[in-house]
Amino acid sequence: MRQLNTSTVILEEFYENTVPKYAILSHTWEDEEVSYQDMKDAITDVQSTKDKKGFQKIDGACVLARKGGFRHIWIDTFYLSDVANRETAPFVTTAWLTRDVDRHGLYNGPARRYSRWFTRGCKLQELLAPQLIEFYDERWDLIGMRSKLIDRLAFITMIDAAVLSDSRVVSEMSIATRMFWAARRETTRLEDQAYSLLGT
């Protein structure tokens, strides 16, 4: 598993039982995301990588993770093939809801349209699996923690509040219920819908 060192902003490789405690940046992709190749190129040309719009998101996530005591962070734009299993599950996920929410909630101002983060298939397991999720807006202002937003999240996602409160309850839910959660979310490819159910 490749993780980003939050101090050096350099990718490091870990194997099996050597994986340290880490944070996750959960986000929706936008223009100029920083890829694994970009991070490799940054070794010799760091400025071109930092000039990409997506680097500001990475930098903000690293600052936040360091403040939380995490030396490493997992960001999916670097490696789509890595899937965290339960033995290496993250302690905290930082959900960055970008510019489609206001600083007072999980929706976009008067339009009351909820962030597209809640519509993406791959975000289902990132909502349910971690012990702790913190939601931030574009300016990295804290919107709230999952534990404090249960009722609103249940309304938005149509996932039972008991499940959002304790991920261990997921195993007690029927396959049909879990499929319903996934069916309400958008995926780029059909197989991504199945991927979104891993760990749920």
Side-chain angles (χ1 to χ4, degrees), residues 63-170:
V63 169
L64 198 64
R66 285 200 307 273
K67 288 180 179 178
F70 292 93
R71 295 183 60 188
H72 296 89
I73 189 168
W74 188 94
I75 303 175
D76 63 357
T77 51
F78 301 153
Y79 27 75
L80 288 177
S81 60
D82 282 349
V83 178
N85 58 37
R86 292 195 179 273
E87 284 68 43
T88 60
F91 176 76
V92 59
T93 288
T94 298
W96 192 69
L97 302 185
T98 65
R99 61 186 56 82
D100 62 350
V101 296
D102 69 13
R103 66 187 302 272
H104 301 294
L106 305 174
Y107 53 85
N108 179 13
R112 308 289 289 192
R113 292 177 183 153
Y114 292 100
S115 169
R116 67 191 182 100
W117 188 91
F118 295 104
T119 71
R120 303 303 298 167
C122 59
K123 304 308 165 196
L124 178 58
Q125 61 180 198
E126 293 172 15
L127 172 66
L128 298 178
Q131 298 176 39
L132 174 67
I133 300 180
E134 298 174 339
F135 292 94
Y136 290 85
D137 68 10
E138 169 180 39
R139 294 171 294 278
W140 292 102
D141 290 328
L142 179 66
I143 296 171
M145 296 183 293
R146 180 181 59 191
S147 59
K148 302 296 185 181
L149 299 168
I150 294 296
D151 291 340
R152 194 181 304 177
L153 291 170
F155 177 80
I156 295 170
T157 63
M158 298 183 71
I159 296 174
D160 193 277
V163 175
L164 294 167
S165 299
D166 185 353
S167 60
R168 292 172 297 182
V169 178
V170 172

Side-chain angles (χ1 to χ4, degrees), residues 37-52:
Q37 187 60 50
D38 290 328
M39 295 305 294
K40 287 178 64 177
D41 293 344
I43 296 173
T44 55
D45 185 12
V46 67
Q47 194 57 49
S48 63
T49 298
K50 287 186 174 181
D51 285 343
K52 298 189 76 169

